[in-house]
Amino acid sequence: MNKLKNIYFSRLPFRTKITYGLSLLLLFCGLSVGYFVTQISEKSILWEHYSRGKTLVKSFAYRTIEPLLARNYLQLQKVITELKKYPEFTYAYILDEHKNILIHSFDNGFPLKLLQINAALTNEISIITIKTNLGLVDDFGIKITLKGEDIGYIHLGLNRHGIAQILASQRRTAFFTTLGIIFLGIFLAHWFSQNITRRLETLKLSADEIIKGNLDVQAGPLFARNCWDIMHCKQKNCPAYKDTRRRCWHLVGTLCENCSQEGYPSKLSSCVKCKVYQQLSGDEVQDLAEVFDVMALSLKNYISEIRNQQKELKRQENLLRTIVNTTPDFITFQDIDLKYQMANKAFCDYFKTTERDVLGKTDFDIFSPEQADHNYHEDKQIFLTKKPLSKEIQVRKGKQERWFHVLKVPVFEGDKMVGLLLTARDITMLKKYQEQLLASQKMEHLGRLAGGVAHEINTPLSIILGYTQLLLEDVDNPQWREDLKTIEKQTKVCRKIVADLLRFSRQGPTEAKNVDLNASLKEVVSLIEHTFSLSHVTILTNFDSSLPPIKGDGEKLKQVWLNLLNNALDAIGENGYIFIRTKLCAHRRRIVVHFLDTGSGIPQENLDKIFDPFFTTKEVGKGTGLGLSVTFGIIRDHGGRIFAYSPPPVEYLPKEDKADDKEWATIFIIELPLKEEKLPDDLEPCQG
């Protein structure tokens, strides 16, 4: 029960609690004061009653001495009759020295029980209160002596009817007065509680607004005059100037002469004597409200700063994430337990996963057990040595092989190691360019060698061919003529090989004219298209109509196209596709020609040999091995470059509707400079 009362009381509004508390206190105090005042008043009236009774008894005794000695009963009766005029008179009787009744005021006989009450009288007045059917009666008795001799006893009975009426009136007056005071006190308590709780309610409403996120609250009072008005201040750079929501003693750095530069509440000691503080400061509730306003405004400023910082951090985070996800390099971060905490888009795309699936995982959840175990021990070694690791690795994925430059760096926060940052850059094209550079240097040396050999052989061949033709004119022997024709034929074959070697070594004549590459390609395609169709090989084309003409030897470029198309046909055999595409590179400094075929492809070990003179994979008698060498030399003579990839990298696969569903095996990429321009030193060919 008490618990329920406590719960009920605790749920009452604070204003009701104050009102109830003050009302109960006033009620208790009012009743207590009324009770004590009534008691004091009753005692005072009763004392007056006793004093009056004693006076009447003394007067009664004095007037009865002479008639008592004379036994003048008539005179005694007269004295008693005179006493009857007092409203409180109830009875009176006189006893002689032997306590015999001499005279009394009773009309219906003397009640003998009175003789037993207040019987032991002395010369001092004795008062005994008795209960009668008429109410309380005070019996005043005294012994009368004359010269030391007892002459009689008198008793005077005074009722309390008048006193009771006075006491009842006083009680009523005290009750209603107390009640009025209590009600006035309750009203004042209610007003006081309203005054207190109204400001507390303002504080509560302000707190509720803050909970909702609204920090523009005003719990403290607003004054008509503020510190700058009171002090007639014009210092606009003062932090308190025109700030109506905060008091100057709550602010640091105010510019008044007497203001301390310390913060609140230390500076209050210098503000106590200031007239601004004396006029505007209030009680504890006002102080609480004003401090609450300062807190809310400071909190708003802090939150605003935090939000601005969060926006800036978010912007920088988004920028960093955009940069990290835009770069083609792999970027990951693993914590000290080698769990992935970040993986960029390039990493996820390469391994065909998502960042959500990677985060919180280890290498054992992503890679093969062998690769994961290798990575684990490698990473642990980095943690032990606290030194970065740089290496190049070759990764085979399906038919493609790619090279990566991997850099693993331990990450520190202060002196504590917190994780491992990995970056991996695809250097496949760099590797290929290095291989092409080596091949180009090798071709340069081979070209010089081939040129020298061709010159040395060309003269004897011319002599042999000339003498053979002369002998053919003079010899009639059929057998000899047949042998001489064989010599003539093979000598011409040797001359063709020498011519190819000279073209490869760039020592043959080149006639530079304006060449329309699209027209040149279309002409070659139209010549061989029918022949290729007999083997069910379809040639697909996509020519860029915006190609400008270039300076070059049209006939030699046609030989390049023809060599590449014949090689593609040999690789396909029957039933396949060849795709030719021309394109003006985005930065408009080169023209790119792609030749793709669906043939058998080129083994990886032969890719760096295919441009070598006399290198061929064809059967004996079906090729000299000079076709691609000559092609390489012609392109080089035009200031261009040629690349070969098998299989083609994804970024070079055609996206045209008619060619995107084919299984392309090999791609040759030819880059030719625009007129009077050189190719930039790129590491990779322009993507299609």
Side-chain angles (χ1 to χ4, degrees):
M1 187 67 180
N2 291 331
K3 186 176 181 180
L4 291 176
K5 289 181 179 178
N6 291 334
I7 294 175
Y8 172 75
F9 182 76
S10 64
R11 290 179 178 176
L12 290 176
F14 188 62
R15 179 184 302 176
T16 305
K17 291 178 181 178
I18 293 178
T19 304
Y20 280 0
L22 291 177
S23 299
L24 291 174
L25 180 62
L26 287 172
L27 182 63
F28 175 76
C29 293
L31 292 177
S32 299
V33 170
Y35 173 78
F36 286 114
V37 168
T38 302
Q39 291 297 315
I40 293 171
S41 177
E42 287 182 357
K43 288 181 180 180
S44 175
I45 292 172
L46 191 60
W47 181 81
E48 290 181 1
H49 171 71
Y50 288 155
S51 299
R52 180 178 175 83
K54 289 178 180 181
T55 301
L56 288 177
V57 166
K58 288 180 180 180
S59 175
F60 182 31
Y62 177 75
R63 293 173 63 187
T64 58
I65 292 175
E66 185 177 349
L68 186 61
L69 290 174
R71 294 293 193 267
N72 187 349
Y73 295 106
L74 184 60
Q75 187 63 33
L76 290 174
Q77 186 64 41
K78 184 177 179 182
V79 173
I80 290 174
T81 302
E82 290 178 356
L83 290 172
K84 290 182 178 180
K85 66 182 181 180
Y86 295 101
E88 62 268 33
F89 177 82
T90 302
Y91 64 85
Y93 63 93
I94 302 172
L95 303 177
D96 61 12
E97 65 275 15
H98 301 294
K99 294 187 178 182
N100 294 318
I101 299 173
L102 295 179
I103 192 168
H104 60 85
S105 63
F106 294 102
D107 295 332
N108 299 323
F110 184 82
L112 296 178
K113 290 182 178 181
L114 285 176
L115 296 176
Q116 302 174 4
I117 298 172
N118 208 6
L121 298 178
T122 63
N123 291 331
E124 298 294 331
I125 299 174
S126 175
I127 304 174
I128 299 295
T129 302
I130 60 177
K131 290 183 178 182
T132 68
N133 54 353
L134 300 176
L136 294 179
V137 176
D138 295 315
D139 184 87
F140 294 83
I142 189 172
K143 179 171 68 174
I144 301 173
T145 58
L146 185 63
K147 296 180 180 182
E149 187 176 341
D150 297 338
I151 62 173
Y153 302 88
I154 64 173
H155 288 266
L156 178 62
L158 300 179
N159 62 59
R160 295 187 181 182
H161 292 165
I163 295 176
Q165 292 177 355
I166 293 173
L167 290 176
S169 176
Q170 275 196 341
R171 288 192 185 101
R172 284 194 298 271
T173 302
F175 174 76
F176 286 111
T177 302
T178 303
L179 192 63
I181 292 173
I182 288 173
F183 277 116
L184 178 62
I186 291 174
F187 173 77
L188 293 176
H190 180 68
W191 175 83
F192 174 76
S193 65
Q194 275 192 327
N195 185 44
I196 294 294
T197 56
R198 182 174 62 252
R199 293 188 288 171
L200 294 178
E201 183 68 21
T202 303
L203 273 175
K204 179 180 177 300
L205 293 176
S206 299
D208 291 341
E209 289 298 316
I210 289 178
I211 292 174
K212 295 176 184 177
N214 179 21
L215 296 175
D216 294 322
V217 295
Q218 182 67 41
L222 295 175
F223 296 104
R225 301 180 75 236
N226 294 280
C227 65
W228 57 88
D229 299 317
I230 297 172
M231 301 299 293
H232 305 290
C233 176
K234 300 298 182 182
Q235 301 191 64
K236 296 183 179 180
N237 57 337
C238 177
Y241 188 77
K242 296 298 181 181
D243 189 346
T244 60
R245 296 183 60 186
R246 294 180 291 182
R247 302 289 170 250
C248 55
W249 55 85
H250 290 142
L251 302 176
V252 178
T254 50
L255 302 180
C256 287
E257 295 181 359
N258 298 325
C259 275
S260 170
Q261 295 304 308
E262 296 179 324
Y264 178 85
S266 301
K267 70 178 296 184
L268 282 180
S269 58
S270 65
C271 297
V272 173
K273 297 181 180 179
C274 176
K275 59 182 180 180
V276 175
Y277 183 82
Q278 292 174 351
Q279 291 184 28
L280 300 183
S281 64
D283 57 10
E284 289 83 354
V285 177
Q286 181 179 325
D287 289 342
L288 178 62
E290 290 173 347
V291 171
F292 188 88
D293 289 341
V294 174
M295 179 199 70
L297 191 57
S298 301
L299 186 61
K300 179 183 178 181
N301 294 335
Y302 291 151
I303 291 177
S304 178
E305 292 178 3
I306 291 173
R307 285 177 176 171
N308 291 335
Q309 292 175 355
Q310 286 178 336
K311 288 180 181 178
E312 179 62 20
L313 288 174
K314 188 66 176 177
R315 187 189 69 80
Q316 294 181 2
E317 180 185 352
N318 291 336
L319 178 61
L320 179 60
R321 181 172 290 276
T322 300
I323 294 172
V324 168
N325 284 331
T326 302
T327 178
D329 296 348
F330 300 167
I331 302 177
T332 65
F333 177 76
Q334 295 167 275
D335 60 18
I336 200 68
D337 297 323
L338 294 177
K339 292 182 178 179
Y340 284 92
Q341 302 300 319
M342 188 275 290
N344 73 335
K345 185 175 183 296
F347 178 88
C348 296
D349 290 346
Y350 185 79
F351 292 105
K352 292 183 171 34
T353 184
T354 62
E355 186 177 11
R356 181 182 298 177
D357 296 332
V358 171
L359 297 184
K361 303 292 183 58
T362 66
D363 287 337
F364 291 95
D365 301 316
I366 301 173
F367 303 110
S368 65
E370 296 79 8
Q371 184 63 43
D373 185 71
H374 173 76
N375 292 348
Y376 176 80
H377 289 89
E378 187 175 76
D379 297 342
K380 285 297 183 181
Q381 186 66 24
I382 295 174
F383 284 158
L384 288 175
T385 61
K386 298 182 180 178
K387 294 181 180 179
L389 171 68
S390 178
K391 63 177 182 177
E392 292 182 358
I393 61 173
Q394 187 178 24
V395 179
R396 180 178 293 276
K397 188 177 181 183
K399 296 182 179 180
Q400 293 185 346
E401 286 187 354
R402 307 191 75 84
W403 281 89
F404 292 94
H405 176 251
V406 179
L407 179 64
K408 294 184 178 182
V409 180
V411 180
F412 293 86
E413 283 187 359
D415 296 331
K416 182 182 179 182
M417 187 183 299
V418 296
L420 184 68
L421 178 68
L422 176 143
T423 62
R425 173 165 292 182
D426 189 342
I427 58 171
T428 304
M429 298 308 300
L430 176 60
K431 283 287 187 181
K432 291 185 180 298
Y433 182 75
Q434 292 174 344
E435 293 172 0
Q436 293 285 350
L437 182 60
L438 292 174
S440 177
Q441 293 174 348
K442 183 173 66 175
M443 291 299 177
E444 188 74 25
H445 294 303
L446 287 173
R448 292 195 187 100
L449 177 62
V453 171
H455 275 294
E456 293 296 328
I457 296 176
N458 198 34
T459 300
L461 282 178
S462 297
I463 295 172
I464 293 172
L465 181 60
Y467 277 101
T468 300
Q469 289 174 344
L470 289 173
L471 288 173
L472 282 173
E473 293 178 358
D474 297 335
V475 173
D476 296 327
N477 189 318
Q479 181 62 42
W480 288 4
R481 288 184 65 85
E482 187 67 28
D483 293 338
L484 288 173
K485 286 182 180 179
T486 300
I487 293 172
E488 180 187 27
K489 178 180 178 183
Q490 296 303 319
T491 304
K492 289 181 178 179
V493 171
C494 288
R495 286 186 64 182
K496 183 178 182 302
I497 292 174
V498 169
D500 289 340
L501 285 173
L502 288 174
R503 278 194 293 271
F504 171 70
S505 63
R506 297 188 296 178
Q507 296 182 15
T510 298
E511 185 179 359
K513 296 180 180 179
N514 285 336
V515 178
D516 184 343
L517 287 186
N518 287 342
S520 175
L521 285 164
K522 289 177 182 178
E523 182 178 348
V524 171
V525 169
S526 64
L527 289 175
I528 63 173
E529 194 169 19
H530 175 70
T531 303
F532 279 39
S533 65
L534 297 177
S535 299
H536 304 287
V537 175
T538 303
I539 300 177
L540 306 174
T541 60
N542 183 9
F543 297 143
D544 188 348
S545 60
S546 63
L547 292 187
I550 65 168
K551 284 288 186 179
D553 188 327
E555 294 303 319
K556 289 186 177 181
L557 289 175
K558 289 179 184 177
Q559 184 178 352
V560 169
W561 316 144
L562 192 59
N563 285 345
L564 293 176
L565 288 170
N566 285 331
N567 282 348
L569 178 64
D570 291 340
I572 294 171
E574 292 186 352
N575 299 316
Y577 293 89
I578 298 174
F579 180 67
I580 307 173
R581 173 173 54 193
T582 61
K583 179 181 182 296
L584 182 64
C585 200
H587 37 68
R588 307 187 67 81
R589 296 180 63 185
R590 73 191 85 179
I591 292 174
V592 183
V593 184
H594 290 177
F595 284 83
L596 294 95
D597 65 72
T598 59
S600 57
I602 303 173
Q604 293 295 316
E605 61 271 15
N606 293 337
L607 272 175
D608 56 349
K609 304 176 185 176
I610 58 175
F611 296 110
D612 293 351
F614 307 112
F615 177 80
T616 180
T617 58
K618 300 176 183 177
E619 298 178 4
V620 177
K622 290 190 176 181
T624 63
L626 289 173
L628 288 178
S629 300
V630 171
T631 299
F632 182 88
I634 293 172
I635 297 300
R636 183 181 57 189
D637 288 343
H638 285 76
R641 298 182 299 185
I642 183 169
F643 304 88
Y645 300 106
S646 181
V650 176
E651 57 268 25
Y652 297 110
L653 292 177
K655 299 179 176 59
E656 289 80 355
D657 292 340
K658 59 185 178 181
D660 64 346
D661 59 343
K662 309 298 186 296
E663 293 291 335
W664 302 109
T666 306
I667 181 172
F668 282 87
I669 301 174
I670 298 170
E671 294 184 346
L672 295 170
L674 298 177
K675 292 186 299 183
E676 299 178 359
E677 292 188 17
K678 292 183 178 180
L679 288 180
D681 295 329
D682 295 341
L683 295 181
E684 299 181 8
C686 183
Q687 296 182 12

